[in-house]
Structure formats: C-alpha cells, structure tokens
Amino acid sequence: MKDQELIALADKARAMAYAPYSNYRVGAALLTGSGKVYTGVNVENASYGLAICAERTAAVKAVSAGEREFVAIAVVTDNGGSPCGACRQVLAEFGPKLRIILADSAGKSREYSMSELLPDS
Ligand code: THU
C-alpha cells in the first residue's frame, strides 16, 4: 500500500472524529503485518480527560482483531500534529519499527520512525 493511500484512508476516517470539545479532529490509518488497514478517530467525552486519541483507537481495533505487528500509520489533522506520548508508547508495543506518517489537511506530510518519536524505549 502506498503512503498516499494510507493518508487518504486516515483523512476519510477523520470525518467520523468525535471532537466537540477541542474541535481538533484526528484520523488515523494503521497498516498491519497482515496487510490490513485499521482506521481510528479521536473520541472525546464530557469528562475531558477521558478523550481517546485516533492512534490508540486504531491500535486497539487492530489488536482486538488479532493483529500483533504494526507496519505504518498515517495520521491526519488540520496542522500535521504529532502523536502524544501515550500513543507513542502504545504504538511501540506492537511496532518497534513502525513508520509514522503525519499529514495536514492540505496534504503536506512528513515521516518519522518509531525510534525517533520514542527513543530508548
Ligand atoms: N489527539 C489525537 O487523537 N491524536 C493526537 O496525536 C493528538 C491529540 C486528540 C485528543 C483530543 O481529542 C484532541 O486531539 C485534542 O487534543
């Protein structure tokens, strides 16, 4: 799967983000070792601290479907924002060699390795 396809899937998923409190909508598309893609969005709550990020939504969907190897993840936001520390830790569990592709809503993207985002894990 091409990076642009993964970004497009993340962007499409982003439409389902539930972010009425922050208005910061996030979509993720996670490619696993089996070749399947699992999408995720951020899901907020009236109790603000309970918000779940798009990356962890995708990760738990994949693992609960039996996946154990994360290959690449595309994350789309308005400004190309980077995953939070909690998501980095969860992604590293199943993707020590994960490629992380961050894109903004204009289509501009950049890539990091897991070890760049979470060194010495
Ligand atoms: N959020 C994500 O879903 N992923 C990130 O990488 C950063 C933050 C969500 C959490 C919350 O719903 C909103 O974005 C604002 O922080």
Side-chain angles (χ1 to χ4, degrees):
M1 156 147 324
K2 290 183 183 147
D3 290 355
Q4 283 307 323
E5 293 176 71
L6 203 59
I7 291 170
L9 290 170
D11 193 39
K12 189 177 172 203
R14 189 170 173 249
M16 304 305 287
Y18 179 73
Y21 305 104
S22 73
N23 280 315
Y24 189 72
R25 305 168 73 83
V26 187
L30 175 64
L31 175 67
T32 62
S34 71
K36 290 186 186 161
V37 174
Y38 298 81
T39 60
V41 299
N42 55 330
V43 182
E44 299 187 344
N45 191 272
S47 176
Y48 297 168
L50 298 181
I52 300 171
C53 296
E55 297 91 325
R56 270 177 292 155
T57 302
V60 298
K61 281 171 69 178
V63 174
S64 58
E67 304 287 353
R68 293 293 185 269
E69 185 196 354
F70 296 172
V71 174
I73 188 168
V75 184
V76 179
T77 55
D78 270 342
N79 63 355
S82 192
C84 77
C87 287
R88 294 177 192 206
Q89 182 70 32
V90 169
L91 292 171
E93 179 81 16
F94 302 98
K97 294 181 178 165
L98 181 70
R99 297 170 52 233
I100 298 115
I101 302 152
L102 306 177
D104 66 22
S105 48
K108 191 178 170 208
S109 66
R110 63 196 198 281
E111 180 180 331
Y112 295 97
S113 65
M114 192 72 247
S115 58
E116 284 177 300
L117 293 192
L118 193 67
D120 205 20
S121 66

